[in-house]
Amino acid sequence: MQKYIIKGSNKGVRGSVDISGAKNSCLPLMASSILFEDTVTIKNVPFVKDVITMCNLLEALGSKVQISEKNKIIKITNKKKHKLIIPYRLISTMRAGVLAMGPLLARYKSCRSAMSGGCALGPRPINFHLNGFKKLGANFNINKGYINISAKKGLKGNEFKFPKVSVTGTSNLIMASVFTKGKPTTLKNISIEPEVLDLINFLNKSGSKIHFIGKRTIKINGVNKLKGISHEIIGDRIEAFSYLSTAVMTRGKIKVNKINPKYLTSELQVLKKMGCEIKIKNSSIELNANKRLKPVKVKTSPYPGFATDNMPILLAVLTKVKGKSIIKEQIFTNRYMSAPELVRLGASISIKSNKATIIGKEKLYGAECISSDLRTTFSIILGAIGSQLSIVCFMD
Ligand code: EPU
């Protein structure tokens, strides 16, 4: 088990920081490399655990992955035919492994993937992905924890409407559709998260034909081949919000660089409502939180709404904003995992169904905490930063 010992601070953080490339942009882009015969170069790569796991997954499938951590670059080359099995040991540690299904199906007409199962955020079904593949002409069956998918005659263009916006569902269906034969594919009610737009942009630069014909509707005309290119991934809006929140928690001042402020429109509106001073430029955000802050009411929703990934971070911040704040989580069923740990630090949070009521306190105190997923961990770390000495342990 890993452990952090954090000494909280009354001093406001000060400084400026460059934001890394977006993990959730990097993962689908890496998976999409399966579609290419040429080399794909991805720049501005954040070398976090999931990215390394995706490197391992691509290597297990037969890709050659060259890493330069110093230059933040990954090069992926596919000299040989891929293996068509996505193994359990890799998908069980990183749910984004399901993103290999779409490109494998598109290029090889079949694949076999371990079922991803649930995760720390609650049940994580992939029925939208599978029903979408079915609409494109694939059949699937589930046997001994594996999903076998095949489209004997190759995937064919068709229409699919997502019952609910899904980020990886959208990316998977886009990747499955780039080589479809026959009529164009129309995907409706898609995710328009910046990371999905980054994937579309990358694929179009490589020769795909993906066009928006409505706010959440795209048309994809199948092509025969993609050409390998180099692409720099966008900045990570969740990391940017994490840094901004650190300044809010400590009533400090921060500038985050290399991030498009548009990716955080809803989040910045919330911070402004709370009383933070915010200045935005093309690719930076400056925040000053030295005024008295006010409580807020926030609902999470798909982009351009307030991101569910940023919710646990805001939750921690609100524990020290005097008054009653309310959060409604509308994406996942189990996203308040940091709440009981923040309560151990002295916070007042009560959860009823998907609604959290937070009564802001002046002080939090140190305690030992335990954590699970990425955002929960940062939420607790932020609580610890706003308190006296705290110990945060990570579950392995
Ligand atoms: N859903 C279904 N069926 C599906 C797919 C999704 O019912 O087939 C439901 C989910 O259960 C959930 C909702 O639809 O209630 C949205 O889930 P979505 O598919 O959008 O989530 P995801 O694609 O699995 C991505 C990010 C998550 C982020 C969510 C929501 C990646 C690799 N992961 O997950 O990021 O929380 O979108 O924005 O892009 C993180 O970075 O820490 C993280 C968990």
Side-chain angles (χ1 to χ4, degrees):
M1 192 182 280
Q2 289 172 296
K3 185 161 91 177
Y4 274 137
I5 299 176
I6 296 161
K7 197 160 179 258
S9 167
N10 292 328
K11 277 195 202 142
V13 298
R14 277 180 183 270
S16 97
V17 60
D18 288 350
I19 298 304
S20 322
K23 163 183 84 76
N24 289 346
S25 196
C26 193
L27 297 172
L29 246 113
M30 289 175 73
S32 79
S33 69
I34 295 170
L35 297 164
F36 293 74
E37 284 169 31
D38 302 340
T39 300
V40 165
T41 305
I42 306 172
K43 295 181 178 165
N44 199 25
V45 171
F47 283 95
V48 295
K49 194 174 161 212
D50 278 2
V51 169
I52 301 300
T53 309
M54 186 58 98
C55 290
N56 295 338
L57 173 57
L58 291 174
E59 278 173 344
L61 293 174
S63 303
K64 183 178 167 204
V65 182
Q66 290 165 283
I67 291 175
S68 167
E69 262 198 73
K70 191 170 140 250
N71 299 313
K72 300 183 186 169
I73 289 178
I74 292 180
K75 281 187 184 193
I76 305 160
T77 310
N78 301 316
K79 285 251 163 70
K80 29 180 202 191
K81 196 174 172 274
H82 286 95
K83 289 184 192 141
L84 304 181
I85 299 180
I86 306 168
Y88 180 66
R89 84 189 144 84
L90 293 169
I91 216 156
S92 59
T93 49
M94 181 197 55
R95 197 186 169 277
V98 299
L99 285 165
M101 282 188 205
L104 284 175
L105 260 185
R107 196 162 163 200
Y108 302 102
K109 302 180 189 168
S110 72
C111 71
R112 185 161 190 258
S113 172
M115 287 172 75
S116 50
C119 79
L121 309 183
R124 306 273 301 264
I126 56 162
N127 51 327
F128 305 160
H129 308 230
L130 296 175
N131 292 338
F133 296 149
K134 203 170 171 186
K135 273 274 177 178
L136 301 181
N139 286 312
F140 64 89
N141 63 62
I142 297 171
N143 190 9
K144 295 182 184 160
Y146 273 80
I147 309 165
N148 304 300
I149 320 171
S150 101
K152 281 194 181 127
K153 294 180 185 158
L155 296 175
K156 293 204 169 61
N158 206 348
E159 190 176 301
F160 179 71
K161 183 173 178 187
F162 285 90
K164 184 176 171 187
V165 171
S166 164
V167 179
T168 49
T170 300
S171 300
N172 229 347
L173 262 290
I174 289 174
M175 293 186 283
S177 304
V178 290
F179 298 144
T180 45
K181 304 284 179 225
K183 64 177 181 184
T185 299
T186 307
L187 299 178
K188 293 183 172 173
N189 196 28
I190 63 159
S191 142
I192 50 169
E193 322 296 304
E195 296 76 20
V196 172
L197 302 191
D198 201 23
L199 175 70
I200 294 178
N201 186 16
F202 165 72
L203 290 172
N204 279 343
K205 278 195 325 194
S206 314
S208 297
K209 293 203 167 128
I210 308 165
H211 306 285
F212 271 88
I213 55 169
K215 191 182 165 203
R216 288 191 180 274
T217 307
I218 46 174
K219 197 174 232 183
I220 306 172
N221 286 285
V223 296
N224 290 326
K225 212 180 160 186
L226 298 180
K227 61 171 192 302
I229 57 159
S230 164
H231 182 82
E232 177 159 339
I233 59 175
I234 59 169
D236 193 313
R237 62 196 163 111
I238 317 299
E239 183 182 299
F241 187 73
S242 305
Y243 278 114
L244 291 171
S245 299
T246 308
V248 184
M249 187 63 156
T250 61
R251 307 300 188 259
K253 201 176 164 185
I254 200 164
K255 185 174 178 217
V256 292
N257 307 308
K258 296 193 177 179
I259 184 72
N260 183 340
K262 277 194 198 138
Y263 301 161
L264 285 162
T265 305
S266 293
E267 283 79 353
L268 296 183
Q269 266 169 13
V270 168
L271 294 177
K272 271 184 195 162
K273 255 193 204 159
M274 286 170 63
C276 299
E277 268 174 34
I278 292 172
K279 284 187 203 154
I280 57 168
K281 291 209 175 122
N282 279 349
S283 59
S284 69
I285 305 166
E286 253 184 278
L287 176 143
N288 189 345
N290 67 359
K291 298 233 173 81
R292 192 184 149 82
L293 299 180
K294 296 183 286 253
V296 276
K297 280 189 181 169
V298 177
K299 282 183 192 164
T300 62
S301 53
Y303 186 84
F306 193 99
T308 173
D309 290 344
N310 280 330
M311 186 281 287
I313 301 164
L314 181 71
L315 176 72
V317 167
L318 293 176
T319 62
K320 283 194 75 183
V321 174
K322 266 198 146 183
K324 177 166 140 186
S325 290
I326 292 177
I327 294 180
K328 227 176 171 185
E329 164 59 32
Q330 307 197 108
I331 309 289
F332 289 113
T333 51
N334 191 21
R335 209 130 209 201
Y336 290 123
M337 281 168 305
S338 63
E341 302 305 310
L342 292 168
V343 167
R344 305 191 70 252
L345 298 178
S348 165
I349 305 170
S350 65
I351 313 274
K352 270 203 187 124
S353 175
N354 67 341
K355 190 172 136 187
T357 305
I358 306 114
I359 308 292
K361 298 251 180 95
E362 226 157 75
K363 277 191 178 159
L364 299 181
Y365 300 94
E368 280 178 78
C369 297
I370 197 136
S371 180
S372 52
D373 73 288
L374 181 59
R375 313 303 172 192
T376 300
T377 302
F378 190 72
S379 172
I380 301 169
I381 287 177
L382 202 49
I385 288 172
S387 69
Q388 316 299 320
L389 182 72
S390 301
I391 300 166
V392 181
C393 304
F394 298 86
M395 294 202 303
D396 236 10

